[in-house]
């Protein structure tokens, strides 16, 4: 009904209830105002009281909290003038709101402190006259004292609050515990605060805004105590809960602050961008101040990291640079703090605000697992593995020192050698030093080897280096440089030309070695280039015969290389040549289908690198060994190889490489059931993928796996936050329908575990719509069925009926009679809900379910299948009886004037007894179902006044479980016996 359509009192009361369930915010407030305008026109005093109360409630839980004082003042005048107009519920609400209004005035700097104290005294007086405990009074006093910085008074009020008795005007347990814990944290007792908050965090005490606020409040105490894992979990849980509630700006601010202090600045920016109105909503200045403080903290942090010119959405919904927003937020925060100080007569607010805006990070990096695209690359040196890490080089060294360090790293074939030579070139240019020919050759060669150098540019650099080496009297190094130039020709897409070009430098390197003018290491490097080119040629071939011929050529070249290198393996660095050659042989062996042989060769390759003292080269064969071993089912070797690859790569690999290695270990750990550790590595993989700019690729897959692990580990709230962050990155083209469906499926499971059936249904229906087009329809049927269950729990009856009908049609096509029958039975229960089709339609659906069972029984000759079908039929009879009995008005007895209840109960008991008989025919494996039906029949007989039949059935149940003399064997048996005794007691009592 439109709010502009005139409504009667009953309709307006219902509209108030409906509006109360709407999301917080200006839209709900506006509806409340329009409803109240209609209420005033009716002149119904009780309805006016309810309308004013509703206005206060919605204002209080919104960005317009300053509006609640006017309706409250009017409501209080009405109470003072005519208290008899208020019923018991309205009186309770008035006094409940009194505590909100009195101490809540501190959040409005335009209200004088004297007025606030006067209202607090007024509350105390009225509570005392009404006979209420002073518990809420003392809590309000504590709030005022904390606000103005009078911590001694606050402590006295806190003690008095705790000493006073709880009554119906006390805050709920969850809210009280939040305030108690926040006071302990303010008094530097973080551990005590977390102990106090534990019942809320564990779900023992909850309310509409808890644990949302406690989760946010716990973040800094956890970080200060070094409990970063818990802080991450509480951030994921808490922000997901708080983000949809407009009144929780202060809680959202704590999440932004958490991001700014843990190296998650990009995540903090995303949170700021989600609700630009938080910058300008002025109805509650205290929470606005909190939001501006953390905005200044975050944007100052980003500016310090070199990202001040980055653009983001800020106040007014317009684009701001980070630097501009930092200045604006700090100035606005100072202005609001100054208003509070002027009102309070001290500088407490400004001091606390400045301290918060100037906090320093508590952690350099805390991966969160949720999607967060780094806005710009991290400053150089921020990531692991930068030049100089473990190399001993430094920007302050002189040129001679840099040269020595570069040569040392080159000799060791260290991954940082390229950066070291770049430092030499930079220093020489800075000092204006003309380097000798040999050093210039080495610089060109290492520039060519840099990962970012394009192949075409590398060709020129290697060729230049070769010429310089010749001039320096280093023909062996010249030959190697030319071989590398040829390999770059292959990388440039010209493998045939490369193979021709590499022959001459290889022949020359061998000749120089034979003359004693080249080392085995240099010659082996040249020969490796030929093998690499042959390997590259294989990837571009389409014809199988050509591929096999190319593989044979590669194998021949590799064996020749090993024949040259293995006798020289004592020479430093030759082990690297042997390792790469063995790796090629492993690839060839794997190509030919010999997985065990490939595993052995990859093992030898890794060992060769390690024996040579170059473990960073072992990463590739170890990774390949892990993959082959997992394929072979040798999970122990796969895990060991994956861990070793990660260990050897960690100091040197780029973010993308680290992400891939973590993901490889994730798969093996998942296969071995080590889900906790798999989740840890999936978290790391997601972080490094984001750092590498691969958030939509490997990052999405890592988060997908992480969400699944968290769900399996019972951490549904964290899993939901992670999986929700995955969805924007998933596409059928890049990730496949299966991954999207699985993510949505898991999200539905998460929402179910979190008590969010409507959201669960949405995810499952989206997944079902994708699975609709799959050749195999079982997943489609299951998802439709799950959506029906969720919609049923959410009381969305028409939608649930449609989902179950869809599922039933699919189960029928799949030949799953049991699943089909269960959908029909649930649809029958939906039919008897208020406003639905009714009992006749429900009976038809139950009859259809029974018919399906009977038809399947007639067509089956399998004894086990028939037993299960009989049990399904029996349960259909039992549920039909239950449905008929529960759908009639009242029970048989004096109030059953027309006898309709007796007729319904008699029909129901007959159906349930029929179910007992069919359960007996199905066999002993269905004993628990049979006794459940017997007890139902017993209660029905008792309601009909047939005590003898009721007692007989109850005793049969007892005999079933206690006849052996050992007593009930499990919880079901114990429950059945307890219920049977309850029947006997009830009947004995008349």
């Amino acid at each position: 009904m439109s709010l502009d359509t005139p409504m009667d009192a009953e309709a307006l009361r219902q509209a108030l209830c409906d509006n109360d369930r709407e999301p917080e915010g200006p839209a709900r407030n506006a509806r409340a105002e329009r409803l109240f305008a209609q209420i005033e026109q009716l002149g119904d005093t009780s309805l006016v009281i309810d309308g004013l109360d509703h206005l206060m409630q919605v204002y209080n839980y919104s960005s317009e909290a300053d509006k609640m004082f006017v309706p409250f003042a009017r409501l209080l005048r009405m109470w003072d003038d005519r208290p008899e107009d208020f019923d018991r519920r309205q009186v309770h609400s008035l006094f409940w709101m009194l505590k909100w209004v009195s101490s809540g005035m501190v959040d409005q700097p335009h209200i004088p402190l004297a007025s606030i104290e006067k209202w607090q005294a007024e509350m105390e007086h009225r509570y005392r006259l009404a006979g209420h405990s002073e518990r809420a009074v003392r809590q309000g006093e504590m709030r005022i004292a904390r606000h103005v910085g009078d911590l001694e008074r606050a402590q006295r009020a806190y003690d008095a609050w705790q000493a006073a008795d709880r009554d119906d005007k006390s805050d709920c347990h969850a809210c009280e515990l939040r305030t108690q814990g926040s006071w302990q944290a303010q008094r530097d007792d973080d551990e005590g605060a977390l102990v106090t908050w534990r019942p809320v965090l564990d779900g023992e005490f909850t309310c509409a805004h808890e644990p949302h606020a406690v989760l946010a409040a716990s973040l800094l105490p956890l970080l200060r105590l070094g409990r970063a894992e818990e802080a991450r979990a509480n951030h994921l849980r808490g922000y997901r809960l708080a983000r949809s509630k407009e009144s929780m700006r202060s809680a959202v601010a704590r999440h932004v602050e958490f991001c700014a202090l843990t190296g998650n600045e990009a995540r903090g920016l995303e949170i700021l961008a989600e609700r630009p109105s938080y910058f300008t909503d002025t109805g509650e200045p205290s929470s606005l101040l909190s939001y501006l403080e953390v905005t200044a903290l975050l944007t100052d942090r980003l500016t310090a990291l070199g990202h001040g010119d980055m653009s983001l959405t800020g106040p007014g919904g317009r684009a701001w640079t980070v630097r501009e927003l930092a200045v604006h937020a700090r100035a606005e925060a100072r202005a609001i703090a100054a208003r509070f100080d002027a009102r309070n007569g001290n500088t407490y607010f400004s001091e606390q605000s400045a301290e918060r805006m100037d906090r320093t990070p508590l952690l350099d990096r805390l991966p969160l697992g949720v999607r967060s695209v780094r806005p710009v690359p991290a400053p150089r040196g921020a990531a692991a593995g930068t030049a100089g890490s473990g190399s001993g080089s430094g920007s302050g060294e002189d040129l001679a020192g840099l040269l020595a360090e570069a040569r040392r790293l080159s000799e060791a074939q260290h991954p940082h050698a390229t950066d070291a030579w770049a430092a030499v070139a930079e220093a020489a240019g800075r000092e204006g030093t003309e380097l000798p020919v040999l050093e210039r050759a080495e610089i060109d060669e290492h520039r060519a080897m840099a990962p970012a150098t394009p192949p075409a540019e590398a060709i020129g650099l290697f060729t230049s280096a070769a010429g310089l080496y010749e001039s320096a009297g280093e023909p062996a190094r010249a030959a190697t440089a030319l071989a590398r130039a040829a390999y770059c020709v292959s990388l440039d897409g010209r493998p045939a030309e490369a193979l021709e070009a590499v022959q001459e430098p290889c022949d020359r390197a061998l000749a120089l070695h034979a003359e004693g003018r080249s080392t085995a290491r240099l010659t082996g490097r040249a020969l490796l280039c030929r093998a690499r080119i042959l390997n590259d040629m294989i990837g571009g071939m389409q014809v199988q015969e050509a591929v096999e011929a190319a593989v044979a050529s590669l194998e021949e070249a590799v064996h020749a290389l090993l024949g040259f290198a293995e006798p020289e393996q004592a020479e430093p660095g030759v082990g690297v040549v042997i390792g790469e050659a063995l790796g090629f042989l492993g690839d060839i062996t794997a190509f030919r289908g010999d997985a065990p042989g490939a595993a052995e060769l990859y093992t030898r390759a890794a060992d060769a690198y390690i024996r040579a003292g170059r473990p960073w080269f072992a990463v590739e064969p170890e990774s390949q060994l892990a993959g082959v071993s997992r394929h072979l089912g040798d999970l122990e070797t796969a895990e060991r190889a994956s861990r070793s690859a990660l260990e050897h790569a960690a100091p040197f690999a780029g973010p993308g490489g680290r992400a891939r290695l973590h993901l490889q270990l994730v798969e093996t750990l998942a296969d071995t059931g080590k889900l906790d550790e798999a989740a840890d590595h999936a978290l790391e993989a997601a972080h490094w993928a984001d750092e590498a700019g691969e958030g939509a690729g490997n990052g999405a897959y890592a988060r997908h796996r992480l969400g699944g692990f968290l769900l399996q580990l019972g951490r549904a709230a964290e899993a939901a936050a992670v999986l929700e962050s995955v969805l924007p990155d998933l596409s059928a083209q890049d990730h496949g329908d299966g991954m999207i469906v699985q993510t949505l499926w898991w999200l539905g499971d998460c929402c179910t575990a979190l008590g969010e059936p409507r959201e669960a249904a949405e995810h499952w229906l989206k997944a079902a719509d994708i699975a609709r087009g799959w050749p195999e329809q079982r997943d489609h049927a299951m998802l439709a069925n799950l959506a029906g269950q969720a919609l049923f729990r959410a009381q969305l009856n028409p939608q649930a009926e449609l989902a179950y009908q869809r599922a039933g049609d699919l189960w029928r096509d799949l030949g799953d009679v049991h699943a089909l029958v269960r959908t029909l039975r649930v649809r029958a229960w939906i039919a008897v809900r208020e406003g639905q089709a009714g009992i006749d339609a429900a009976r038809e659906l139950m009859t259809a379910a029974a018919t399906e069972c009977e038809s399947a029984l007639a067509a089956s000759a399998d004894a086990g299948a028939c037993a299960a079908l009989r049990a399904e039929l029996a349960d259909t009879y039992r549920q039909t009886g239950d449905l008929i009995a529960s759908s009639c008005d009242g029970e048989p007895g004096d109030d059953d004037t027309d006898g309709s209840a007796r007729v319904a109960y008699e029909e129901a008991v007959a159906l349930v007894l029929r179910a007992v008989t069919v359960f007996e025919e199905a066999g002993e494996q269905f004993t628990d179902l049979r006794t459940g039906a017997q007890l139902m029949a017993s209660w029905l007989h008792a309601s009909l006044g047939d005590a003898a039949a009721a007692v007989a059935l109850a005793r049969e149940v007892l005999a079933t479980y206690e006849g052996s003399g050992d007593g009930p064997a499990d919880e079901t048996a114990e429950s059945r016996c307890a219920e049977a005794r309850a029947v006997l007691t009830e009947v004995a009592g008349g």
Side-chain angles (χ1 to χ4, degrees):
M1 180 183 295
S2 168
L3 295 181
D4 297 324
T5 303
M7 290 181 268
D8 60 20
E10 182 179 353
L12 283 166
R13 289 188 192 280
Q14 184 59 51
L16 290 176
C17 291
D18 293 342
N19 196 47
D20 192 55
R21 290 191 289 266
E22 290 296 316
E24 297 173 357
R28 183 171 73 156
N29 296 359
R31 283 192 294 270
E33 291 164 356
R34 292 166 68 185
L35 287 171
F36 187 71
Q38 285 205 38
I39 287 170
E40 285 198 291
Q41 294 176 8
L42 287 182
D44 183 326
T45 301
S46 179
L47 190 54
V48 169
I49 293 171
D50 285 341
L52 288 168
D53 180 78
H54 181 65
L55 277 173
M56 291 165 56
Q57 298 279 351
V58 299
Y59 286 150
N60 185 66
Y61 288 117
S62 76
S63 60
E64 299 177 306
D66 56 334
K67 288 186 175 182
M68 73 174 178
F69 301 110
V70 172
F72 178 75
R74 179 175 173 183
L75 198 58
L76 194 60
R77 284 196 305 271
M78 292 177 69
W79 164 256
D80 288 338
D81 292 342
R82 290 180 55 84
E84 64 271 18
D85 289 340
F86 288 70
D87 62 26
R88 185 172 181 175
R89 174 185 56 81
Q90 292 166 337
V91 172
H92 170 77
S93 183
L94 173 68
F95 278 84
W96 184 270
M97 293 300 297
L98 177 57
K99 67 177 182 176
W100 281 1
V101 170
S102 57
S103 61
M105 289 179 179
V106 297
D107 294 327
Q108 305 293 334
H110 69 279
I111 300 178
L113 194 58
S115 296
I116 297 171
E117 295 286 8
K118 179 182 176 181
W119 270 100
Q120 181 65 20
E122 177 78 8
M123 173 195 173
E124 182 174 2
H125 174 69
R126 287 177 180 268
Y127 267 47
R128 186 180 298 115
L129 288 178
H132 300 312
S133 167
E134 69 169 9
R135 189 175 181 89
V137 177
R138 300 282 76 85
Q139 184 179 356
E141 181 187 2
M142 177 197 171
R143 180 179 182 185
I144 296 169
R146 287 180 70 182
H147 176 87
V148 300
D150 188 348
L151 302 188
E152 290 184 5
R153 180 189 177 193
Q155 185 63 56
R156 291 195 302 272
Y158 177 88
D159 294 337
W161 167 35
Q162 297 304 293
D165 294 333
R166 281 187 57 83
D167 66 356
D168 64 352
K169 298 302 179 289
S170 303
D171 280 356
C172 75
H173 283 290
C175 289
E176 282 207 339
L177 290 172
R178 179 196 71 229
T179 305
Q180 291 166 21
S182 69
W183 175 244
Q184 290 169 294
Q186 185 175 349
R187 304 294 277 177
D188 298 324
D189 183 9
D190 289 337
E191 193 68 59
L194 290 165
V195 170
T196 298
W197 287 329
R198 180 53 53 195
V200 182
L201 295 172
D202 289 346
E204 182 180 347
F205 298 119
T206 62
C207 69
H209 290 78
E210 294 297 349
H212 318 39
V214 165
L215 286 163
S218 72
L219 297 174
L220 259 60
L222 285 167
L223 289 175
R224 288 193 291 256
L225 291 171
R227 292 156 63 175
E229 301 299 316
E230 292 176 66
R232 173 175 56 225
N234 287 4
H235 167 66
L236 294 179
R237 287 176 61 198
Y239 182 64
R240 185 175 179 274
L241 290 171
R243 66 191 299 181
S244 63
K245 291 188 177 292
E246 188 190 48
S247 64
M248 302 207 75
R249 176 164 56 184
S250 291
V252 172
R254 291 181 184 274
H255 288 283
V256 175
E257 181 178 40
F258 165 83
C259 293
L261 299 178
T262 58
N264 287 289
E265 296 86 2
R267 166 77 166 168
L269 286 179
E270 290 169 3
I271 294 174
L272 290 183
E274 286 190 9
R275 201 186 278 266
S277 63
Y278 268 172
F279 289 111
T280 52
D281 289 340
T282 58
E284 191 183 56
S286 61
S287 67
L288 174 58
L289 172 60
S290 179
Y291 201 70
L292 290 166
E293 287 167 347
V294 300
T295 299
L297 172 68
L298 175 66
T299 49
D300 279 346
R301 172 73 179 152
L302 282 162
T303 301
L305 290 172
H307 307 323
D309 294 328
M310 186 178 60
S311 177
L312 72 158
T313 302
R318 73 170 178 84
W320 295 65
T321 68
V322 165
R323 185 177 290 102
E324 288 173 341
L325 185 54
V327 173
H328 171 82
R330 185 172 287 267
E332 290 293 305
R334 285 173 173 167
I336 296 174
R339 288 171 59 200
F340 278 112
D341 284 345
R343 191 270 306 276
N344 297 341
N346 58 30
T347 59
Y348 181 73
F349 251 79
S350 293
E351 291 167 3
Q352 295 296 304
S353 182
E355 186 277 329
R356 190 178 195 185
M357 290 189 286
D358 294 337
R359 284 176 181 162
T360 56
L362 297 172
L363 291 173
D364 290 334
R365 181 180 78 93
L366 178 63
L368 300 179
V370 290
R371 177 177 180 265
S372 182
V373 181
R374 180 172 286 276
V376 292
R380 184 174 176 82
T386 54
S389 177
S391 68
S393 66
S395 59
E397 290 188 54
D398 59 16
L399 182 57
L402 291 172
L403 268 169
E405 178 65 9
R407 288 236 163 83
R408 183 184 72 79
L409 293 174
S410 293
E411 182 63 26
Q413 297 172 280
H414 196 280
H416 292 157
T418 298
D419 288 331
W421 280 105
V424 169
E426 183 182 352
R430 189 171 56 247
E431 297 175 10
T433 302
E434 177 69 25
L435 291 171
V437 173
L438 180 60
E439 281 80 355
R440 298 207 310 272
E442 289 171 310
I443 288 172
D444 279 358
E445 186 175 34
H446 283 89
R447 281 177 59 199
M449 288 190 283
T453 304
E457 183 180 342
I459 294 168
L461 287 167
F462 277 129
T463 303
S464 170
L468 291 169
Y469 278 132
E470 288 286 2
S471 300
E474 295 280 355
R477 298 179 77 172
T480 301
L482 287 174
R484 284 173 165 165
Y487 175 52
C488 289
V489 172
S490 177
L491 294 178
D492 200 36
R494 296 170 284 156
E497 184 180 335
L499 188 61
E500 182 179 346
V502 81
Q503 191 61 50
E504 192 278 331
C506 285
D507 290 343
R508 187 177 181 205
L510 285 168
L512 288 168
H513 182 264
E515 296 168 6
R517 299 171 62 199
S518 175
T519 64
R521 182 170 114 179
L522 281 172
T523 304
R525 285 181 182 176
L527 298 176
L528 268 177
C529 291
R530 183 170 186 274
R532 290 171 183 167
I533 294 168
L534 288 167
N535 186 60
D536 283 355
M537 294 179 73
I538 297 169
M541 294 179 175
Q542 304 295 325
V543 180
Q544 184 64 25
E545 291 79 1
V547 171
E548 290 175 355
V551 168
S553 297
L554 173 61
E555 184 177 25
E556 181 182 353
V558 170
H559 279 300
L561 176 56
L562 286 171
F564 166 80
E566 285 181 334
E568 307 285 348
Q569 58 186 299
E571 181 182 317
V574 174
V576 172
V577 175
I578 295 171
E580 188 167 347
L582 289 170
F584 281 132
L585 282 184
D587 294 343
I588 293 167
T589 306
F591 169 79
R592 289 175 175 160
D594 181 5
E600 180 185 353
L601 285 162
Y602 291 139
T603 301
R604 288 175 58 196
D607 288 345
Y609 287 130
I610 293 168
R611 283 197 307 273
R614 315 292 197 262
W616 45 85
F617 288 122
V619 172
E620 185 173 354
E622 286 169 337
S623 182
Q624 291 166 315
L625 172 61
V628 171
S629 298
R630 186 164 172 258
H631 170 74
L632 291 169
D634 183 0
L635 298 181
E636 182 180 350
T637 299
E639 182 179 341
R640 185 172 60 251
S642 292
R643 290 186 188 279
S644 186
L646 192 55
E647 177 188 352
H648 290 145
F652 314 110
R658 294 186 73 166
R660 287 184 284 277
L661 289 169
H662 278 290
L663 276 175
Q664 183 177 58
L665 181 54
V666 162
E667 301 302 339
T668 302
L669 291 170
D671 288 346
T672 57
K674 299 176 182 177
L675 300 187
D676 276 304
E677 193 178 359
D680 291 341
H681 284 281
L683 181 65
E684 286 292 322
H687 168 80
W688 290 115
D690 286 344
E691 288 287 309
E694 299 171 2
N698 280 334
Y701 181 70
R703 279 185 280 277
H704 167 82
R705 294 292 275 154
L706 174 60
F709 295 141
L710 292 172
L711 177 62
Q712 288 179 269
L713 291 167
R715 296 156 63 182
E718 297 168 66
V722 171
L723 292 169
E724 285 168 351
S725 78
V726 175
L727 284 177
D729 286 326
L730 297 185
S731 68
Q733 180 179 356
D734 295 332
H735 304 93
D737 285 345
M739 185 169 161
I740 299 174
V741 167
Q742 183 63 80
T743 301
L744 290 166
W745 198 320
W746 282 337
L747 263 174
D749 291 340
C750 291
C751 292
T752 299
L754 296 170
E756 302 169 358
R758 183 193 294 261
E759 292 80 0
E762 290 175 0
H763 294 309
W764 282 330
L765 286 172
K766 287 178 184 176
D769 286 341
I770 297 172
R772 185 195 297 272
W774 292 358
E776 210 291 315
Q777 287 289 284
R778 183 161 292 276
D779 283 339
H780 182 196
M782 181 59 75
L783 286 161
N785 214 103
L786 288 169
Q789 292 174 14
L791 292 164
F792 182 83
R793 286 192 294 271
Q795 300 285 320
L796 297 172
N797 300 317
Q799 297 93 324
E801 158 66 21
L802 288 173
Y804 272 119
Q805 186 175 10
R806 173 181 177 180
D809 291 343
L810 290 164
W811 291 128
R812 179 179 282 108
D813 292 342
L814 289 165
D816 192 328
V817 177
H818 295 276
L820 168 60
V821 166
R822 290 164 190 169
T823 63
L824 290 166
R825 291 198 303 244
V826 178
R827 289 174 62 195
W829 285 104
I830 294 171
V832 295
R833 283 182 164 181
E834 185 177 352
Q836 300 309 300
I839 187 64
D840 291 339
R843 284 174 176 274
E844 290 180 11
L845 287 162
M846 286 295 190
T847 299
T851 300
E852 292 288 348
C853 291
E854 291 162 353
S855 298
L857 272 168
S860 178
D862 181 85
C866 286
L869 286 167
R870 286 192 182 91
E872 204 73 71
L873 177 60
D875 206 31
T876 302
Y877 292 145
R878 181 193 64 79
Q879 289 197 41
T880 306
D882 189 7
L883 183 145
I884 291 169
S886 61
S887 298
C888 67
D889 295 328
E891 296 184 6
D894 295 338
D895 294 333
D896 186 24
T897 54
D898 62 356
S900 59
R902 172 165 288 277
V903 170
Y905 271 55
E906 288 173 347
E907 181 184 3
V909 77
L911 283 162
V912 178
L913 289 171
R914 188 176 181 185
V916 171
T917 300
V918 180
F919 275 131
E920 288 175 341
E921 294 171 356
E924 291 185 0
Q925 66 267 43
F926 301 105
T927 294
D928 289 339
L929 291 173
R930 172 177 59 79
T931 56
Q934 286 175 308
L935 287 168
M936 182 183 290
S938 180
W939 285 114
L940 290 168
H941 274 304
S943 297
L944 288 165
D946 190 348
V951 168
L953 285 163
R955 286 177 175 165
E956 284 182 27
V957 172
L958 289 172
T960 297
Y961 293 112
E962 297 181 342
S964 64
D966 297 329
D970 56 30
E971 289 184 10
T972 301
E974 290 178 2
S975 174
R976 294 283 194 270
C977 290
E979 187 175 353
R981 294 188 194 100
V983 172
L984 296 175
T985 301
E986 182 82 10
V987 172

